[in-house]
Amino acid sequence: MEAQEQEEQEQLVTPWKVSAEKGGKIDYDKLIDKFGCQRLDQSLVDRVAGLTGRSPHVFLRRGVFFAHRDFSDILDAYEKGQKFYLYTGRGPSSEALHLGHLVPFMFTKYLQDAFKVPLVIQLTDDEKCMWKNLTVEESQRLARENAKDIIACGFDVSRTFIFSDFDYVGGSFYKNMVKIAKCVTYNKVVGIFGFSGEDHIGKVSFPPVQAAPSFPSSFLHLFSGKDDLRCLIPCAIDQDPYFRMTRDVAPRIGYHKPALIESSFFPALQGETGKMSANDPNSAIYVTDSGRDIKNKINKYAFSGGQDSIENHRKYGANLEVDIPIKYLDFFLEDDVELEHIRKEYGTGRMLTGEVKKRLIEVLTEMVERHRRARATVTDEMVDVFMAIRPLPNMFN
């Protein structure tokens, strides 16, 4: 019991809070053991390349997406000619997205393009209204603003349906919510999510809302008559509790268990004790940050694994395990050869912290400016089209 309490004090991962205490970092092996998912190994990465004819995404190659549930079953079905659909989402709690928010959408776009499958994106404006004490109207406004950033990632409008819970929940979607809710006891939901007697009933009733998009009959305008269609959910691993619940319920109400492919967290600038937070603007790089903002944040706040003097750095090299600029380059520098060169030179002390930060600033500035240009072209009319209840003309083509 004491050992369990100690572990919980050291590491907390829920859909609403991620932290590692005592200056440590998230232990993903412990998370895999605790959650009961599987590590995504090289054989699955190779299968994706073989089935799609595309080079694996950098997030696959470098283990950013590192865990899964039944991803192999999705690939088995696809190999037999059976399609699937993608489901991911965003809880709109801030005006603009930061880079950590972009990670699942960048990867989901790759999956959509590689497998040529439809995608549903849930905007949980109801959840944020309940957890963040936002008004309904503000939650809805933020959802539309976040939708513009999501659309700017380049999703195919002919294969993509974006919906907000406040606008869409009802009909067949609500029927599935009720079926799910009847299968989950109060004790079960408390055990999964850690709700307490002080939490309002809205929080306790929310999990079926996030579970329902896992089932194709929640979208009759898209998948009518396709109740056997499988679902793959790309998400960060802190969302796993929702889908452990969903997977337990699925066979009891006649559906396939949704498969998951799960990412590690994009760390805060100050270090790997948690993930980037929209509550601390200095912990994150935002898609609205200017080149000067990015430069200042990286130089001032990005935790370095370099030594305390040039002499010591040349002698001992950098500690790459704690160095945030290296972590960020792992995510966003696509050139494997260049990344390995930087890691080697920096790790041996031949490259200084300032040089690594300079390269990171270049990479992030280019990426953010590219995103900003794309977002500037997204009109309210485009958002309306993505969120319209309509058939997807190019759904499986």
Side-chain angles (χ1 to χ4, degrees):
M1 185 65 179
E2 288 182 4
Q4 181 179 352
E5 290 177 355
Q6 177 71 16
E7 180 178 332
E8 289 175 354
Q9 288 174 3
E10 290 178 352
Q11 180 162 287
L12 176 66
V13 176
T14 74
W16 312 286
K17 186 174 182 181
V18 175
S19 64
E21 297 294 334
K22 299 181 181 178
K25 60 181 183 177
I26 300 298
D27 187 326
Y28 290 104
D29 289 327
K30 281 186 179 179
L31 268 188
I32 286 175
D33 290 341
K34 181 179 179 180
F35 287 175
C37 46
Q38 297 82 44
R39 185 164 283 281
L40 199 153
D41 60 25
Q42 186 61 41
S43 66
L44 287 175
V45 177
D46 292 342
R47 281 195 72 192
V48 171
L51 287 171
T52 65
R54 290 179 176 235
S55 174
H57 193 278
V58 63
F59 293 163
L60 275 180
R61 298 200 306 270
R62 298 189 188 144
V64 171
F65 278 79
F66 73 101
H68 74 100
R69 293 181 182 274
D70 292 345
F71 185 48
S72 54
D73 290 353
I74 290 284
L75 298 182
D76 289 344
Y78 185 82
E79 196 167 24
K80 296 173 184 174
Q82 300 170 19
K83 295 288 187 174
F84 60 92
Y85 74 98
L86 295 162
Y87 156 40
T88 193
R90 161 77 185 137
S93 60
S94 59
E95 188 85 28
L97 306 189
H98 60 55
L99 297 187
H101 295 143
L102 282 186
V103 167
F105 293 111
M106 294 170 68
F107 186 63
T108 300
K109 177 186 171 358
Y110 158 80
L111 292 174
Q112 182 185 60
D113 293 345
F115 288 99
K116 296 181 173 58
V117 291
L119 162 67
V120 297
I121 299 175
Q122 181 182 41
L123 301 175
T124 55
D125 41 11
D126 53 343
E127 177 198 21
K128 293 309 176 184
C129 179
M130 290 186 284
W131 261 268
K132 296 290 186 179
N133 200 28
L134 298 171
T135 66
V136 170
E137 293 75 19
E138 179 66 0
S139 296
Q140 289 181 297
R141 187 186 73 81
L142 292 175
R144 282 188 67 89
E145 289 303 307
N146 285 188
K148 292 176 182 178
D149 276 314
I150 292 168
I151 292 167
C153 292
F155 291 107
D156 182 348
V157 68
S158 68
R159 292 195 184 103
T160 305
F161 173 53
I162 302 175
F163 67 99
S164 90
D165 288 342
F166 278 134
D167 291 337
Y168 185 74
V169 170
S172 59
F173 192 102
Y174 185 68
K175 289 176 185 178
N176 278 337
M177 283 172 50
V178 171
K179 291 177 185 178
I180 294 162
K182 287 179 68 176
C183 292
V184 184
T185 65
Y186 176 73
N187 286 340
K188 182 80 170 178
V189 82
V190 168
I192 293 173
F193 297 100
F195 296 131
S196 73
E198 300 303 311
D199 286 309
H200 59 68
I201 62 174
K203 292 183 178 182
V204 179
S205 66
F206 175 75
V209 186
Q210 188 157 322
S214 307
F215 305 133
S217 65
S218 295
F219 306 100
L220 288 183
H221 69 287
L222 299 179
F223 307 130
S224 180
K226 295 183 171 67
D227 286 2
D228 202 42
L229 194 64
R230 293 178 181 270
C231 175
L232 173 63
I233 305 169
C235 61
I237 198 168
D238 59 340
Q239 299 301 301
D240 189 87
Y242 281 115
F243 301 113
R244 292 204 304 275
M245 182 198 77
T246 309
R247 285 167 54 83
D248 180 63
V249 168
R252 297 159 65 187
I253 60 175
Y255 295 108
H256 290 296
K257 294 180 178 182
L260 281 82
I261 182 165
E262 301 176 314
S263 73
S264 57
F265 304 119
F266 192 69
L269 284 165
Q270 288 81 357
E272 281 197 286
T273 58
K275 62 178 181 179
M276 272 192 173
S277 171
N279 296 323
D280 179 3
N282 292 325
S283 77
I285 303 293
Y286 286 84
V287 295
T288 51
D289 283 344
S290 67
R292 177 174 292 182
D293 292 332
I294 293 170
K295 181 178 180 180
N296 289 341
K297 285 184 178 182
I298 296 298
N299 284 331
K300 186 173 182 179
Y301 297 111
F303 186 83
S304 171
Q307 301 299 327
D308 56 5
S309 69
I310 292 180
E311 181 182 1
N312 283 338
H313 186 82
R314 297 295 192 197
K315 184 176 181 180
Y316 300 110
N319 180 356
L320 303 185
E321 290 301 309
V322 301
D323 192 89
I324 289 299
I326 286 292
K327 301 292 182 185
Y328 283 19
L329 288 172
D330 279 343
F331 276 79
F332 296 126
L333 179 59
E334 294 197 12
D335 189 325
D336 293 336
V337 174
E338 183 185 359
L339 178 64
E340 185 56 35
H341 173 76
I342 291 173
R343 292 180 67 89
K344 182 178 179 181
E345 294 297 296
Y346 190 38
T348 56
R350 289 190 291 268
M351 181 177 280
L352 299 176
T353 298
E355 297 173 273
V356 178
K357 287 187 173 183
K358 181 176 182 293
R359 183 65 182 115
L360 175 63
I361 291 165
E362 293 170 351
V363 170
L364 295 187
T365 300
E366 180 184 354
M367 187 177 79
V368 169
E369 288 182 351
R370 184 169 62 244
H371 181 88
R372 188 183 297 114
R373 289 194 299 270
R375 192 190 192 281
T377 68
V378 179
T379 63
D380 286 323
E381 291 75 19
M382 288 175 65
V383 176
D384 290 339
V385 172
F386 271 92
M387 299 185 75
I389 297 174
R390 72 204 193 283
L392 297 181
N394 200 27
M395 192 160 61
F396 289 114
N397 297 325

